Amino acid sequence: MRITCPLCGERDRREFTYRGAALDAPAADDGAEAWHSHVHLRQNPAGPLEEWWHHQQGCGSWIRVRRDTVSHVMLASALAKPEDADGGSA
Amino acid sequence: MSAVSTQQVNRLSGGLVDRGQPLSFRFDGQSYQGCSGDTLASALMANGVRLMGRSFKYHRPRGLLSAGSEEPNALVELRTGGRQEPNTRATVAELYDGLDARSQNRWPSLERDMMAINDRFANFLTAGFYYKTFMWPKAFWEKLYEPIIRKAAGLGRLTGDADPDAYDKGFLHCDLLVVGAGPAGLAAALTAGRAGARVILADEDFLLGGRLLSEAQPLADIAGADWAGQVQAELAVMGNVRILPRTTVFGAYDHGIYGAVERNADHVAAPDAGKPRQTLWRIYSKRAIIATGAIERPIAFENNDRPGIMLAGAVRSFANRWAATPASSVVIFANNDDAHQTARDLQAKGVDVPAVVDVRPDAPEIPGIELLAGAQIVETAGRLGLRSVTVRMANGKTRIIPCGALAMSGGWNPNLGLTCHQRGRPVWDGDLHAFVPGQDLPVGQHVAGAAMGAMSTDAALRSGAEQAGEALADLGFTVPAPELPKAEDAPVSLTPFWHVQGAKRAWLDFQNDVTVKDVKLAHQENFTAVEHLKRYTTLGMATDQGKTSNVGALAVMAELTGKSIPQTGTTIFRPPYTPVAMGALAGRAVGKDFHPTRLTPSHAWAEEQGAVFVEVGNWLRAQWFPKPGETHWRQSVDREVQQTRRSVGICDVTTLGKIDVQGADAAAFLNMMYANGFAKLPVGKVRYGLMLREDGVAYDDGTAARLAEDHFVVTTTTANAVLVYRNMEFVRQCLCPDMDVQLISTTEAWAQYAVAGPNARKLLQKIVDPEFDISNDAFPFMACGEITVCGGCRARLFRISFSGELAYEIAVPTRYGDALMREMMAAGEAFDVTPYGTEALGVMRIEKGHAAGNELNGTTTALNLGLGRMVSGKKDCIGNVLSRREGMNTDDALRLVGLKPVTPAQSLPAGGHLMAASGPVDAAHDQGYVTSAAYSPTLGTAIGLGFVKGGAERLGEQLRLVNPLEKQEMLVEIVSAHFVDPEGEKLRA
């Protein structure tokens, strides 16, 4: 597979580490049920999925990738923290 | 057996072999001569050898079926010693001088094979035999049936010796990958090369040209092989084209990536020094053209597997390209016009063709050759090689024709392998009577030539150029159409014919010994779905993936079920197209190079001390330092512990993960990462930190030292260094993107040493530059600071203790690690300093009751670890919410405790479970388990750490420690985990 890193361009997936679906975490006061659901009850969609990839062997960016889990087509990718692209702190 | 046979009795005139370069080789101990340009198969054929192997199941005598990589029969063992290689197809083994080859799957010899008895029991060994027979009794499978079957079946043998050769891996990028260098592939590469695209042209053969090398018919006024040579010469000088002969593209993967194996040195006795035997290429293509040609299919008739019965196109290849014939007289059996060309070519080469048997009543005449139209072959004779065929004539009469070989053809199947690797499903072409590629090809893939059903040479040339034009136009290239020679353009003329009715033992899958009868049995037992048929009969499941057999078997099943072939289904292909050596997949990652070895800066010093090393992840760490006279590791470890606790010891802790955290929000960030708080940690202080996972379970621990308001240095465990850093980056970038904080891993930037023991400060005072006051008042427990040592060398000092002693960790830039170690050892001589390894480190942390990896084992919580109060209720952190779940916070939750054997001499088995002193021993009565155990030289007894339900309240209670695997049982007492210095007086001294 090839993954597009917004900083480095299209790279081999062996440079990346997979984390899983990119989900919005519940707030701290949302309670155990919401957190249990967030951590343990994941969807496994056949089709487009937002997910986190870490360009560990490259620039070190965490990237939000939209990938079709059936065809492996990479639909979009964006930096988790776009400020890093400027090479400086926020 | 050792007589030299120099008689190439079946060598013809012409061909692409160089008679001026004779090559000697051996097959089953017999010496032969071949020519440069031969394969093992063609050389054996030229020497009159027809018998080359035994079949997998029935051990039937077998010869060549094909001339290419689809070969199911002629599997041989090549070379000897460490280079011995089983199951290579003789048809693709390029001949070299001195090649030593042997037949397989026979004993004691190829001519007399004891296991051929299987053939006599064929009635019992039909499809499903193993499933039905060896199911009962169950215990017999492993001990009796399987070993016998394994011995009897199977193909070549593996050498027991290590492979002496190197295998490489490489990456290639191109605009257009062309797989196959036949007419279509060459036309495609030429078109794309001239357009300026970056092209890779790969072919499994050692000569480019594909089918052009096998056909006598010229392209316009030039021989096919010569045209291929011209194109190759033009491509070779283009800087944008890379030609990879001897390279099999074996798999089509995601995003236009193809796997390929280049056989750099399989055609010589041994690779040149320093060169690889094979190279595994990962080819990144924007577009690819699959021009892999077509594979001829056999016809199933009685005893159609005798040595000498071959595919007609293969016979033509051997005659035209390799100037070899399987016999001096060859009968043809076919259902199509193409096979007639074999008859004409053989006759032109002076081979006797007694008859062409064509199932079609209206088959066209062939001048000068007897045509038996509407006839079929119903039987053959010749145990170790064909002697004659029996023909049932159109009028019903039979006729026996003596012959040494039979060239058969049931038509051609496009070679679909690479089009199916992304689950692409072929579709049936009613005109060609064959499956062709469907629309669901892998991304960026085009198919050209016979592989897409363009069967004539002319159509193949044109489709290659067209597909290249289309593919490159997509990429924005301007592609002029090349001028191509005019070639034969005969339409496919074929009447479908799959098997001769009434045949009992008519082979479909030659490699796995599947006959028409087996397919009938599968149908009878209702295994009619194609995937069931395949598994029930093992059809197509041999090393050739059924390249010559799948469609024929499907046709038989279609006939039995009364459905059409496309209704019956098709099987698709998986990578690899042909077998790939494990060595090529491993590449250089073998032996010690399987993973990198990480050495600490003072590794050389530790080696000089005779340290025994242990692998910790990729690191090598000193485990203990044996002294002269110490014969058992315990002696060394006990001494290291005692010397450290009595005076001072030094341990290399460089391998701990180190992460530099800087920024205005550094403290807030650590508050998020760790369960406990860091906001109020003063500059110049260190704090222990515990990280949780999102689900609230303890994840990792370490220390965070605050060097400035906006600057922390945190440590992680050795094992989790990479994971914790990745996770911290995830939190920084994804969860807290608004924080002003930056991270960098500095694990390899600093060498770090623990200096522990009552004399630790005295030792360090000799190292640390005098302007830095490290007295207890100025630099108390949990202090940290940036200092200089040895007259100005930058260093960091942390007053932290894993051993429970007065202890420091001192860090210097990596390049000074070795020097610092030597300086400290010299400075410590006056105090009888000892280096200590990971074992002593472990003993001392157990004596002190510090949790480590054994306790932070992925199932334990802060509460279990006795650190429940560390989880701050005042702030948010990773895992905070779920760590408060009711079920994880019950009164009888597991708690970390110390354990001592009631009988002092006994040692504690780590991993043992704890039960009540009396009562049942089972999971339902489990009270906890032992995580760490050691002999404590300080206490003179075995000690352990473990988790016990409600353990904090049960000090003094006795439990049974059980280890049913080793049949061990002993009484232990629950004690405080802090065996040594429970009040912490030593470390504050």
Side-chain angles (χ1 to χ4, degrees):
Chain A
M1 290 206 308
R2 307 276 283 164
I3 298 170
T4 302
C5 169
L7 295 183
C8 310
E10 198 184 69
R11 308 294 303 170
D12 191 273
R13 68 115 177 109
R14 284 162 190 79
E15 295 180 5
F16 298 80
T17 307
Y18 184 64
R19 183 174 174 104
L23 305 171
D24 292 330
D29 52 5
D30 276 354
E33 271 309 311
W35 276 93
H36 163 66
S37 170
H38 172 66
V39 172
H40 298 120
L41 306 178
R42 297 286 174 96
Q43 301 297 318
N44 184 20
L49 176 68
E50 298 270 331
E51 50 193 25
W52 291 122
W53 290 82
H54 186 211
H55 197 189
Q56 186 165 19
Q57 307 295 325
C59 61
S61 297
W62 275 94
I63 301 162
R64 182 188 281 267
V65 173
R66 189 169 170 80
R67 179 179 67 105
D68 189 312
T69 58
V70 177
S71 65
H72 293 179
V73 172
M74 299 291 172
L75 301 163
S77 66
L79 289 179
K81 186 173 163 80
E83 297 83 5
D84 278 0
D86 307 327
S89 51
Chain B
M1 289 296 281
S2 60
V4 177
S5 165
T6 52
Q7 292 269 312
Q8 294 181 38
V9 293
N10 285 340
R11 185 66 83 181
L12 305 173
S13 61
L16 301 174
V17 292
D18 185 353
R19 290 167 183 77
Q21 286 193 61
L23 305 174
S24 300
F25 69 100
R26 286 154 71 85
F27 181 66
D28 279 346
Q30 170 97 34
S31 295
Y32 298 97
Q33 293 256 309
C35 300
S36 174
D38 262 328
T39 61
L40 176 62
S42 68
L44 285 172
M45 179 183 282
N47 280 280
V49 177
R50 284 182 300 177
L51 177 63
M52 294 188 196
R54 289 273 174 172
S55 74
F56 182 71
K57 188 165 147 188
Y58 299 128
H59 290 248
R60 301 260 299 184
R62 290 285 170 80
L64 295 166
L65 180 71
S66 74
S69 60
E70 68 271 33
E71 175 60 30
N73 286 341
L75 303 187
V76 293
E77 217 167 69
L78 298 182
R79 309 183 193 91
T80 54
R83 294 197 167 95
Q84 181 181 312
E85 174 187 296
N87 304 338
T88 299
R89 299 163 304 281
T91 47
V92 299
E94 199 174 334
L95 197 68
Y96 60 82
D97 200 52
L99 175 65
D100 187 351
R102 290 164 306 282
S103 58
Q104 307 182 155
N105 202 30
R106 84 290 190 274
W107 185 85
S109 75
L110 191 54
E111 288 75 19
R112 299 172 198 282
D113 174 17
M114 296 298 283
M115 290 306 291
I117 191 89
N118 279 6
D119 198 33
R120 303 262 176 259
F121 292 106
N123 279 339
F124 301 99
L125 291 168
T126 51
F129 169 71
Y130 293 127
Y131 300 128
K132 290 170 184 168
T133 311
F134 296 116
M135 293 306 289
W136 185 91
K138 207 175 165 191
F140 276 31
W141 175 253
E142 203 179 309
K143 295 211 162 59
L144 184 65
Y145 298 145
E146 201 201 0
I148 291 173
I149 292 168
R150 279 208 181 282
K151 200 164 156 31
L155 302 163
R157 296 164 302 166
L158 284 173
T159 173
D161 299 340
D163 188 337
D165 295 326
Y167 297 81
D168 261 341
K169 288 189 185 183
F171 297 78
L172 295 173
H173 295 258
C174 62
D175 295 314
L176 184 70
L177 167 67
V178 181
V179 185
L186 286 173
L190 190 63
T191 307
R194 285 179 180 172
R198 286 187 306 162
V199 178
I200 292 171
L201 173 64
D203 196 292
E204 58 183 349
D205 204 337
F206 52 93
L207 286 184
L208 303 195
R211 198 66 210 165
L212 293 175
L213 308 175
S214 295
E215 300 296 348
Q217 290 171 294
L219 303 181
D221 51 359
I222 182 171
D226 292 340
W227 184 79
Q230 281 180 8
V231 173
Q232 179 169 2
E234 182 177 343
L235 294 173
V237 296
M238 290 183 186
N240 53 323
V241 177
R242 180 169 186 150
I243 303 174
L244 293 174
R246 300 187 177 98
T247 301
T248 303
V249 176
F250 61 79
Y253 302 95
D254 285 317
H255 304 167
I257 300 171
Y258 289 79
V261 170
E262 181 177 8
R263 290 171 293 279
N264 309 89
D266 277 1
H267 60 295
V268 290
D272 290 342
K275 301 288 185 194
R277 162 165 233 100
Q278 300 182 352
T279 305
L280 183 80
W281 293 110
R282 191 170 284 132
I283 302 175
Y284 298 93
S285 71
K286 290 181 180 156
R287 295 289 183 277
I289 291 183
I290 305 305
T292 46
I295 292 175
E296 202 166 20
R297 51 199 188 207
I299 297 175
F301 52 92
E302 191 73 15
N303 288 314
N304 64 338
D305 66 331
R306 297 198 192 281
I309 303 180
M310 298 177 59
L311 294 167
V315 171
R316 198 152 85 234
S317 293
F318 282 111
N320 290 331
R321 174 176 173 181
W322 286 290
T325 180
S328 56
S329 73
V330 182
V331 170
I332 314 289
F333 181 33
N335 66 343
N336 62 75
D337 286 1
D338 182 68
H340 292 200
Q341 189 61 42
T342 300
R344 287 190 287 269
D345 288 359
L346 285 173
Q347 200 180 42
K349 291 256 184 187
V351 178
D352 178 35
V353 182
V356 170
V357 181
D358 196 315
V359 299
R360 298 171 298 174
D362 57 347
E365 292 291 336
I366 313 161
I369 297 175
E370 185 181 8
L371 175 75
L372 305 177
Q376 298 177 6
I377 290 181
V378 293
E379 180 56 290
T380 68
R383 200 175 70 82
L384 298 177
L386 188 67
R387 277 199 323 272
S388 68
V389 295
T390 306
V391 182
R392 185 171 61 220
M393 312 290 285
N395 61 12
K397 292 184 179 162
T398 57
R399 177 175 149 192
I400 294 173
I401 307 176
C403 59
L406 177 75
M408 63 178 160
S409 176
W412 293 77
N413 291 320
N415 186 4
L416 301 169
L418 292 166
T419 70
C420 298
H421 286 181
Q422 300 287 312
R423 310 273 321 155
R425 300 206 74 88
V427 295
W428 185 253
D429 183 317
D431 297 326
L432 294 176
H433 303 284
F435 285 102
V436 295
Q439 294 303 305
D440 47 359
L441 294 172
V443 173
Q445 192 179 91
H446 296 245
V447 191
M452 62 162 288
M455 290 299 185
S456 76
T457 308
D458 205 64
L461 286 166
R462 277 184 282 110
S463 84
E466 274 165 26
Q467 292 298 324
E470 259 181 49
L472 291 181
D474 279 359
L475 300 177
F477 285 88
T478 311
V479 190
E483 73 293 350
L484 293 169
K486 180 71 191 159
E488 66 79 24
D489 200 14
V492 171
S493 175
L494 166 151
T495 300
F497 185 83
W498 306 101
H499 68 116
V500 173
Q501 297 294 335
K504 293 195 185 83
R505 304 196 71 196
W507 267 261
L508 293 161
D509 183 331
F510 291 77
Q511 195 167 95
N512 260 358
D513 270 338
V514 180
T515 63
V516 172
K517 189 179 150 190
D518 294 316
V519 176
K520 286 182 175 165
L521 186 66
H523 172 251
Q524 195 179 310
E525 304 204 346
N526 209 25
F527 291 103
T528 53
V530 64
E531 297 298 335
H532 288 159
L533 166 68
K534 183 172 167 175
R535 278 151 188 83
Y536 189 71
T537 62
T538 74
L539 172 90
M541 293 173 80
T543 64
D544 65 345
Q545 282 197 52
K547 290 183 178 69
T548 55
S549 63
N550 284 343
V551 177
L554 212 56
V556 173
M557 182 57 86
E559 190 182 291
L560 291 165
T561 55
K563 293 180 182 168
S564 70
I565 290 173
Q567 280 172 335
T568 306
T570 179
T571 57
I572 62 175
F573 298 89
R574 286 187 282 220
Y577 172 70
T578 50
V580 178
M582 298 302 279
L585 296 172
R588 302 266 175 178
V590 292
K592 282 206 173 302
D593 295 329
F594 183 67
H595 62 64
T597 303
R598 300 174 82 181
L599 304 180
T600 68
S602 49
H603 184 82
W605 173 86
E607 267 184 335
E608 288 165 25
Q609 311 309 309
V612 173
F613 293 95
V614 59
E615 283 186 42
V616 182
N618 291 339
W619 291 102
L620 284 185
R621 295 190 72 179
Q623 204 170 5
W624 62 85
F625 294 83
K627 282 236 164 136
E630 290 173 349
T631 53
H632 190 275
W633 66 272
R634 264 281 305 284
Q635 292 173 313
S636 308
V637 173
D638 288 359
R639 173 185 50 74
E640 287 169 18
V641 170
Q642 284 167 327
Q643 229 170 317
T644 301
R645 293 218 186 275
R646 188 176 64 238
S647 179
V648 60
I650 302 177
C651 183
D652 186 347
V653 294
T654 301
T655 62
L656 291 180
K658 308 177 203 79
I659 299 165
D660 213 70
V661 182
Q662 297 193 35
D665 294 323
F669 177 74
L670 292 184
N671 263 355
M672 189 67 181
M673 290 305 313
Y674 288 102
N676 50 320
F678 282 85
K680 291 184 186 137
L681 181 68
V683 172
K685 285 288 184 185
V686 187
R687 183 169 287 170
Y688 174 81
L690 179 70
M691 276 184 200
L692 307 181
R693 305 192 311 214
E694 265 191 326
D695 63 1
V697 170
Y699 174 43
D700 198 67
D701 66 350
T703 59
R706 192 164 201 171
L707 297 177
E709 273 301 318
D710 58 354
H711 186 192
F712 290 80
V713 171
V714 307
T715 65
T716 74
T717 58
T718 299
N720 280 339
V722 172
L723 301 175
V724 168
Y725 177 64
R726 182 195 304 159
N727 201 39
M728 286 175 75
E729 276 291 357
F730 175 75
V731 174
R732 184 184 79 85
Q733 296 181 38
C734 303
L735 302 186
C736 306
D738 296 331
M739 282 191 183
D740 175 11
V741 62
Q742 299 292 336
L743 309 173
I744 188 165
S745 167
T746 58
T747 303
E748 293 185 330
W750 295 86
Q752 193 153 321
Y753 302 90
V755 182
N759 286 322
R761 183 183 300 121
K762 285 183 194 158
L763 188 156
L764 281 176
Q765 276 167 339
K766 297 170 79 173
I767 297 290
V768 174
D769 289 339
E771 60 264 41
F772 297 97
D773 182 358
I774 60 168
S775 67
N776 198 32
D777 291 339
F779 203 81
F781 181 55
M782 296 308 252
C784 69
E786 294 185 279
I787 57 164
T788 61
V789 299
C790 303
C793 176
R794 186 178 162 220
R796 288 170 174 171
L797 190 64
F798 312 90
R799 189 164 163 197
I800 52 180
S801 176
F802 200 40
S803 57
E805 295 297 323
L806 163 65
Y808 301 81
E809 288 187 14
I810 183 165
V812 290
T814 299
R815 63 186 177 282
Y816 301 120
D818 178 78
L820 178 69
M821 189 64 182
R822 291 173 198 274
E823 288 290 328
M824 289 194 298
M825 287 304 292
E829 227 167 282
F831 311 108
D832 189 28
V833 65
T834 181
Y836 65 93
T838 55
E839 286 298 326
L841 180 86
V843 169
M844 287 192 278
R845 73 99 190 161
I846 295 170
E847 288 178 338
K848 182 61 184 171
H850 277 310
N854 299 17
E855 286 74 36
L856 274 73
N857 59 16
T859 68
T860 49
T861 64
L863 178 81
N864 298 150
L865 292 162
L867 304 172
R869 275 180 299 175
M870 280 182 71
V871 182
S872 171
K874 295 182 194 147
K875 66 172 186 74
D876 188 21
C877 74
I878 306 289
N880 189 320
V881 175
L882 290 184
S883 75
R884 299 180 191 288
R885 278 177 289 173
E886 208 179 317
M888 284 161 60
N889 292 279
T890 55
D891 287 342
D892 69 343
L894 293 171
R895 302 297 288 262
L896 185 67
V897 296
L899 298 163
K900 265 165 88 167
V902 171
T903 308
Q906 286 178 313
S907 66
L908 298 180
H913 274 246
L914 298 161
M915 304 285 161
S918 61
V921 174
D922 56 33
H925 293 82
D926 194 75
Q927 297 289 305
Y929 57 98
V930 183
T931 50
S932 300
Y935 175 78
S936 165
T938 313
L939 277 71
T941 177
I943 58 170
L945 297 177
F947 292 101
V948 173
K949 283 182 180 170
E953 315 299 319
R954 296 171 69 176
L955 298 188
E957 196 179 317
Q958 289 191 354
L959 293 173
R960 253 184 313 164
L961 198 178
V962 300
N963 178 12
L965 280 179
E966 307 273 338
K967 298 196 165 48
Q968 276 177 304
E969 264 199 33
M970 66 178 73
L971 277 180
V972 295
E973 184 187 338
I974 303 174
V975 296
S976 159
H978 307 295
F979 294 93
V980 167
D981 191 26
E983 305 304 323
E985 288 161 6
K986 289 176 149 198
L987 44 78
R988 289 186 176 80

